[in-house]
Amino acid sequence: MTTPMRVQQTIRQLEAKGMNHSRIARELGLSRTTVVKYANKDDYSPRSGGSGTGRSLVDQGWADIVDGWLTADLRLPVKQRHTAVRVHERLVAECGFPGEYPSVQRWVHRWRVAHADESDGFAELEWAPGCAQADFGQARAVVAGVEVVTHFLAVSFPYSDMRCVVALPGETAECLCHGLAVVFEHIGMVPRVLVIDNATGAG
């Protein structure tokens, strides 16, 4: 059912006053998905009758697909959930989405803010430029024709969603230092802030 224009405008007005999406939904008797949908809608002009392909997540129904992926993510560990980059990649590859990444990034951010209390332990984090996270992991790889479990160091930059991965022989302090040196030399910079997860082996 189409949400009346006056209700759409009320959603925008309440958001502009600083009211969060959950409260707006309660006040107006709407679902939070509906509130996020119209809070994120910038153009309220009537659609033309042309057959052109729109680029808005709302206009072409892309939002329903993204909402489904993000809702399913709530049952997964945080590290296995979709990033905004991954959502955009899947929309383009699997659904033929013609839009740009920023529109997807904004939608994912708004959705997560609106659904933060539904996620076990989820908190929306704000990362400044120049901050990085480092964490060890394991993966299967073929070395000299033999499949083995290898260690790696993943260094991510949350502000830009960039990440680098270095294969290493272990998870010792020496491996950490070597892996960080390789990454920093590759990107040509050293982050102002570095957060190391599970730092027991960092020494």
Side-chain angles (χ1 to χ4, degrees):
M1 182 176 65
T2 303
T3 302
M5 182 64 69
R6 60 180 178 79
V7 176
Q8 297 179 30
Q9 293 172 340
T10 300
I11 290 172
R12 295 297 298 275
Q13 291 168 356
L14 293 176
E15 186 192 41
K17 293 179 180 179
M19 187 178 295
N20 63 45
H21 295 158
S22 296
R23 184 178 174 187
I24 294 173
R26 290 194 299 269
E27 293 286 338
L28 300 181
L30 302 170
S31 70
R32 278 179 295 183
T33 299
T34 298
V35 171
V36 173
K37 173 180 177 179
Y38 291 108
N40 193 48
K41 188 173 182 179
D42 297 321
D43 184 7
Y44 283 86
S45 60
R47 299 179 193 173
S48 65
S51 59
T53 302
R55 294 176 179 270
S56 166
L57 284 175
V58 174
D59 290 344
Q60 295 296 321
W62 309 108
D64 292 336
I65 298 173
V66 175
D67 289 355
W69 292 341
L70 297 178
T71 299
D73 277 356
L74 295 176
R75 300 190 297 270
L76 300 174
V78 173
K79 289 188 177 181
Q80 295 181 19
R81 297 174 186 175
H82 285 77
T83 63
V85 171
R86 180 57 181 152
V87 169
H88 182 253
E89 289 174 347
R90 286 193 64 185
L91 281 175
V92 172
E94 301 175 19
C95 308
F97 177 61
E100 301 296 331
Y101 169 70
S103 64
V104 175
Q105 183 184 40
R106 288 192 297 270
W107 184 268
V108 171
H109 174 77
R110 286 176 179 269
W111 191 96
R112 284 178 173 160
V113 170
H115 294 77
D117 60 337
E118 296 181 19
S119 176
D120 183 18
F122 173 79
E124 186 72 17
L125 298 178
E126 295 290 340
W127 291 89
C131 295
Q133 288 179 294
D135 193 12
F136 282 115
Q138 295 182 351
R140 291 189 174 277
V142 177
V143 179
V146 179
E147 185 179 87
V148 298
V149 175
T150 184
H151 302 270
F152 65 83
L153 178 69
V155 181
S156 62
F157 297 82
Y159 184 81
S160 63
D161 272 334
M162 185 184 79
R163 60 188 58 82
C164 298
V165 179
V166 181
L168 297 165
E171 299 183 8
T172 64
E174 291 78 6
C175 290
L176 174 64
C177 292
H178 175 72
L180 291 176
V182 171
V183 171
F184 297 160
E185 182 177 0
H186 174 70
I187 65 176
M189 61 164 284
V190 175
R192 293 183 297 175
V193 177
L194 176 64
V195 178
I196 302 176
D197 291 342
N198 301 321
T200 54

